[in-house]
Amino acid sequence: MRPSNIFEVYEDQRGKRKSLFTKNLIKGNPVYGERIFRNQGEEFREWDPSRSKLAATIMKGSTNVGIRKGDVVLYLGAASGTTPSHISDMVGESGFVFGVEFSPRVLRDLVFVAEKRKNIIPILADANKPLSYAGRIVVADIVYQDVAQRNQAEIFLKNCKYFLKPGGYGLLAVKAKSIDISRRPRDVFNEVRQDIEKELIIIDYRELGPFEKDHCMYICKKK
Ligand SMILES: C[S@@+](CC[C@H](N)C(=O)[O-])C[C@H]1O[C@@H](n2cnc3c(N)ncnc32)[C@H](O)[C@@H]1O
């Protein structure tokens, strides 16, 4: 186990098999049944790239996802907290993950995760209506979005406009089939690129297969 190129992410290489880990903020507590490894008094949670688009992005070679210890992250589409829990490990006790999720049933599971992880703040809201939660978050170092909606790019740009600090990073996971099931994923990805580069600087792009078929990740910076 050794630090990877990505801040706060660890890796282990056995032959051809590489595994990713984050340092467990709440020792002894796995979040979604992931494996836990102990090494020199520290605890590491395995981060499965088939269950997290951010882990898949790192596995596909991204060298900078922008997230640092102490960051404030606005996470849109937090679901039950799989990826948010790893980001919670990355930002640590001095950071925060504001997790926006519009399904009450799913958010309930995130609330259980947040009971232990005090740096996760669940917000029941529609990411399409950023003004509805504007009073609960001020400025974010990172906006991360994974909502699988038809207007994914529009939702992302709105939230970056309201909440992302200048120089902050925006990470957009795009699911091609949610935008248009009939078109080739790469054509959909290119259309999204044209929309987001009007307002943000794209610094990295990764297609996420085979971990996540027909998905890509855009990593952007606010001017
Ligand atoms: C693919 S899942 C997210 C998985 C999560 N990002 C992870 O890696 O652990 C997408 C989630 O976005 C939520 N969602 C979709 N549209 C939304 C919206 N407009 N506002 C808030 N949440 C939304 C869905 O309810 C679902 O839980």
Side-chain angles (χ1 to χ4, degrees):
M1 181 93 55
R2 56 166 192 254
S4 75
N5 287 335
I6 308 284
F7 289 111
E8 313 306 332
V9 177
Y10 298 79
E11 64 182 23
D12 187 36
Q13 186 93 37
R14 303 254 155 120
K16 281 193 178 160
R17 188 174 185 274
K18 184 164 127 177
S19 306
L20 297 178
F21 304 87
T22 54
K23 202 183 276 184
N24 195 0
L25 188 63
I26 312 293
K27 283 188 181 171
N29 285 279
V31 173
Y32 54 95
E34 72 281 15
R35 294 195 297 174
I36 287 194
F37 294 84
R38 291 180 182 85
N39 192 344
Q40 299 179 346
E42 300 283 7
E43 214 176 87
F44 297 86
R45 300 165 54 227
E46 191 169 15
W47 196 2
D48 182 350
S50 303
R51 297 190 62 176
S52 168
K53 283 149 216 152
L54 184 54
T57 303
I58 296 169
M59 279 296 206
K60 291 302 296 277
S62 216
T63 52
N64 180 12
V65 299
I67 302 169
R68 305 254 190 144
K69 204 176 261 311
D71 274 355
V72 172
V73 178
L74 173 60
Y75 193 119
L76 308 167
S80 52
T82 303
T83 303
S85 71
H86 287 285
I87 297 180
S88 145
D89 285 345
M90 292 168 78
V91 299
E93 277 172 357
S94 56
F96 286 102
V97 182
F98 290 86
V100 175
E101 171 57 54
F102 75 174
S103 158
R105 194 194 56 75
V106 174
L107 189 91
R108 198 186 54 191
D109 294 337
L110 183 66
V111 169
F112 286 126
V113 175
E115 272 175 7
K116 292 215 167 77
R117 293 179 169 263
K118 301 296 181 201
N119 67 358
I120 296 184
I121 296 106
I123 299 176
L124 179 64
D126 183 348
N128 217 352
K129 298 179 183 148
L131 292 180
S132 69
Y133 47 90
R136 306 190 54 189
I137 166 164
V138 204
V139 178
D141 299 294
I142 308 280
V143 170
Y144 183 101
Q145 181 180 302
D146 178 16
V147 297
Q149 290 284 338
R150 194 176 172 81
N151 63 335
Q152 288 163 60
E154 184 198 342
I155 296 174
F156 179 65
L157 288 175
K158 264 197 273 194
N159 279 275
C160 288
K161 181 173 162 210
Y162 285 123
F163 303 112
L164 187 60
K165 71 172 192 188
Y169 286 80
L171 288 86
L172 173 63
V174 180
K175 181 177 181 181
K177 302 278 182 210
S178 299
I179 295 176
D180 191 338
I181 197 157
S182 65
R183 288 169 60 207
R184 287 192 322 172
R186 198 163 284 169
D187 293 343
V188 175
F189 298 155
N190 285 336
E191 194 176 278
V192 169
R193 170 186 290 271
Q194 284 169 17
D195 287 342
I196 55 182
E197 69 189 0
K198 285 179 200 148
E199 296 184 33
L200 301 167
I201 302 161
I202 297 172
I203 59 164
D204 198 2
Y205 159 79
R206 303 279 155 176
E207 292 182 11
L208 303 185
F211 304 112
E212 293 278 359
K213 194 167 173 276
D214 301 336
H215 283 73
C216 77
M217 180 75 79
Y218 281 108
I219 302 180
C220 317
K221 237 181 154 176
K222 190 164 177 174
K223 294 170 198 166

